[in-house]
Amino acid sequence: MIRIYSILFVFQLIQICSSTTPSLTLSHDVVKSWEEWIEVDATLDKSEFERNVTEYVCTQDSYCSEVKNLSVWIGLFDSSADLSPIGPQTWTCGNPPWLASSPIKWQPLRRGQKTAKFLVKSHRRPLKFALFTNGTNYPIHLATSEIIESELAHLPRSLHLAVGSSLNSMRVSFEARDLMNTASVRFGTTSGGPYENEVHAIASTYGREDMCGPPATAYGFYEPPYFYSALLTNLTAGQRYYYVVSCNGTSEERSFRGPPVRSVLPLVSLS
């Protein structure tokens, strides 16, 4: 009897030692430009591809048509994301993967595939990859990668121009990670500066309490950036202006032409 138990113990020990510990390895973990490709290598037991998963929801990319039964997948998340499964929900605007925090993007692994490639944009917050099995309805978390940082995270971005409501004005809008009382738009008529004019930019944002309902009020809410706006006035029609926005960092220089003078047409009465 002792010999039988010894054999069983050795057999179980061999199984434990031969099992594969799931892990994710990245080609690099610092994003130095506005967007970069990152290769993610997954280490996992091949049996994870054999799970009997019949559900399949994947319409985001062309490769989805090649995946029959979705079992193993990799997602890109905010570093603070809650990876707890929540099960299928009835929200009209919701879709798998059903996790407490939705992935920024994700893709399935085909049977036997161990590497996935993601285009990662410079994000305001640190990111992480996570490896899952058992599909997207009831995903099981296997492993998490190291944290991904962005060297450009602090810089203002998403610059936008709009003609102002007042005569000879232009509104400059942008977003940034940080709330800065010193945020501003500097502009002038010489490329590269000096910029003779500076206008303070006013910040605004929103929170979970401002959302109209789930899932944003319950799961998956990501903290938004701060949205800044500055109105440039007393512009000369047709004059080219060069400008930069500053908010814990300075954007690249951009330019625009002063809006044309609005014509005032006489009122004509037709009878």
Side-chain angles (χ1 to χ4, degrees), residues 9-222:
F9 174 76
V10 172
F11 177 73
Q12 291 174 343
L13 185 62
I14 292 174
Q15 282 188 314
I16 294 173
C17 294
S18 62
S19 62
T20 302
T21 301
S23 64
L24 290 176
T25 304
L26 308 182
S27 57
H28 57 288
D29 59 8
V30 176
V31 176
K32 298 182 178 181
S33 58
W34 287 112
E35 60 180 23
E36 293 178 13
W37 288 97
I38 294 182
E39 287 191 359
V40 186
D41 293 327
T43 300
L44 71 162
D45 195 279
K46 64 180 181 180
S47 62
E48 298 297 347
F49 290 97
E50 308 298 331
R51 285 180 178 267
N52 185 23
V53 179
T54 56
E55 117 275 347
Y56 175 70
V57 179
C58 185
T59 59
Q60 59 178 343
D61 287 297
S62 59
Y63 56 68
C64 291
S65 61
E66 304 173 16
V67 183
K68 301 303 181 183
N69 293 322
L70 170 62
S71 178
V72 180
W73 57 277
I74 297 174
L76 176 64
F77 297 84
D78 186 281
S79 62
S80 63
D82 183 352
L83 303 181
S84 304
I86 60 174
Q89 303 293 317
T90 58
W91 308 317
T92 55
C93 57
N95 53 61
W98 296 115
L99 296 169
S101 296
S102 299
I104 297 169
K105 58 175 63 176
W106 65 277
Q107 59 175 281
L109 294 182
R110 302 177 183 88
R111 189 180 303 274
Q113 179 186 354
K114 297 297 180 69
T115 302
K117 197 173 183 180
F118 286 80
L119 181 61
V120 179
K121 296 182 179 296
S122 173
H123 207 262
R124 298 180 302 273
R125 295 166 57 88
L127 304 174
K128 64 184 177 184
F129 284 99
L131 176 66
F132 293 86
T133 187
N134 203 48
T136 55
N137 280 344
Y138 301 95
I140 298 174
H141 179 215
L142 294 179
T144 303
S145 74
E146 59 265 39
I147 299 299
I148 304 164
E149 301 283 355
S150 171
E151 291 188 350
L152 308 180
H154 63 289
L155 292 179
R157 61 189 67 195
S158 302
L159 277 64
H160 177 75
L161 286 173
V163 175
S165 57
S166 59
L167 292 176
N168 303 327
S169 66
M170 187 76 75
R171 184 171 296 279
V172 179
S173 303
F174 61 95
E175 64 179 59
R177 180 191 64 185
D178 304 313
L179 177 61
M180 303 289 294
N181 293 329
T182 56
S184 67
V185 178
R186 292 180 292 132
F187 68 101
T189 56
T190 304
S191 178
Y195 305 107
E196 303 90 354
N197 308 282
E198 183 172 12
V199 178
H200 176 66
I202 300 174
S204 64
T205 190
Y206 59 90
R208 184 193 297 268
E209 65 279 2
D210 298 311
M211 300 292 97
C212 58
T217 54
Y219 298 101
F221 181 80
Y222 285 105

